[in-house]
């Protein structure tokens, strides 16, 4: 899978990911293909950076679906705005991109089948398969290397000077210990808006 991290510290946010893609036991490294997992979308609240984990099919689908939304409807400036945006996006994923929404017979809602993290000037967020949205105060991680990344970021957070430094620690731990994570790493930092 992957290791994706997001960090908020010192007036900035950082989001980062590795660049390895796996197909079962086969590894497709950055050397063979441009495996960027971060993508940027301009919405009503400005620039947001996204990264997902799970099927590699999520990356082009989410990138194209979000970019096709009218800018005025792409509102990502708060936990509630993120929730409403992804609720509007769900039917598009089903009808235009043929998303399979069923996971289990007893699921409470249709699944969007992905986990993603996003960062923007308002903060850092996680969106999960039933469109649950979390706004994180310090840091978080998703993907197969998340446990390693979370431990490393926990250890580094108070000592680090910047959000980027914490993100680097998390991704380095994912690369070191998770077999489905490898560099080069991509990290984007953004400035938090005042009062965020």
């Amino acid at each position: 899978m992957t290791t994706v991290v997001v960090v908020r510290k010192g007036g900035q946010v950082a989001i980062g990911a590795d660049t390895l893609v796996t197909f079962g036991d086969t590894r497709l490294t950055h050397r063979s293909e441009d495996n960027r997992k971060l993508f940027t979308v301009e919405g009503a609240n400005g620039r947001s950076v996204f990264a997902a984990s799970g099927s590699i099919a999520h990356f082009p689908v989410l990138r194209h679906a979000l970019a096709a939304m009218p800018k005025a409807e792409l509102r990502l400036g708060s936990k509630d705005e993120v929730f409403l945006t992804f609720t509007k996006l769900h039917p598009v994923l089903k009808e235009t991109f043929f998303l399979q929404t069923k996971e289990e017979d007893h699921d409470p809602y249709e699944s969007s089948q992905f986990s993603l993290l996003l960062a923007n000037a308002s903060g850092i967020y996680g969106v999960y398969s039933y469109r649950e949205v979390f706004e994180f105060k310090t840091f978080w991680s998703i993907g197969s290397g998340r446990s390693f990344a979370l431990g490393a970021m926990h250890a580094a957070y108070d000592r680090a000077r910047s959000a980027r430094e914490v993100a680097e620690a998390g991704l380095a731990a994912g690369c070191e210990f998770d077999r489905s994570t490898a560099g080069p790493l991509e990290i984007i930092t953004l400035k938090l808006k005042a009062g965020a």
Side-chain angles (χ1 to χ4, degrees), residues 22-70:
T22 56
F23 304 96
D25 291 333
T26 304
R27 295 164 41 104
L28 180 62
T29 66
H30 187 72
R31 180 176 163 218
S32 301
E33 215 269 332
D34 186 12
N35 298 329
R36 292 186 183 169
K37 296 178 183 175
L38 301 183
F39 63 94
T40 301
V41 176
E42 288 290 333
N45 311 93
R47 179 179 178 210
S48 292
V49 184
F50 295 82
S53 69
S55 170
I56 193 65
H58 295 319
F59 294 96
V61 167
L62 287 169
R63 192 173 65 246
H64 287 281
L66 287 163
M69 286 184 78

Side-chain angles (χ1 to χ4, degrees), residues 27 32 40 56 63 89 97 146 163 181 189 192:
R27 295 164 41 104
S32 301
T40 301
I56 193 65
R63 192 173 65 246
L89 186 65
F97 297 97
R146 72 184 166 276
T181 300
T189 58
L192 275 171

Side-chain angles (χ1 to χ4, degrees), residues 3 9 21 30 62 67-68 72 83 92 112 119 135 138 151 186-187 189 195:
T3 303
K9 183 175 177 74
V21 171
H30 187 72
L62 287 169
F83 170 76
V92 173
S112 292
E135 183 175 4
T138 53
E186 183 178 16
I187 301 172
T189 58

Side-chain angles (χ1 to χ4, degrees), residues 120-169:
N120 60 39
S122 72
I124 56 176
Y125 306 89
V127 181
Y128 290 86
S129 60
Y130 301 120
R131 289 152 308 283
E132 316 98 293
V133 178
F134 297 89
E135 183 175 4
F136 304 111
K137 294 180 180 178
T138 53
F139 58 83
W140 197 247
S141 180
I142 59 173
S144 55
R146 72 184 166 276
S147 297
F148 306 116
L150 287 169
M153 291 189 296
H154 175 74
Y157 192 81
D158 289 336
R159 294 189 327 263
R161 294 178 308 241
S162 68
R164 182 182 188 87
E165 195 175 313
V166 179
E168 289 171 348

Side-chain angles (χ1 to χ4, degrees), residues 91-99:
V92 173
L93 297 175
K94 286 173 40 178
E95 295 161 17
T96 304
F97 297 97
F98 313 107
L99 173 72

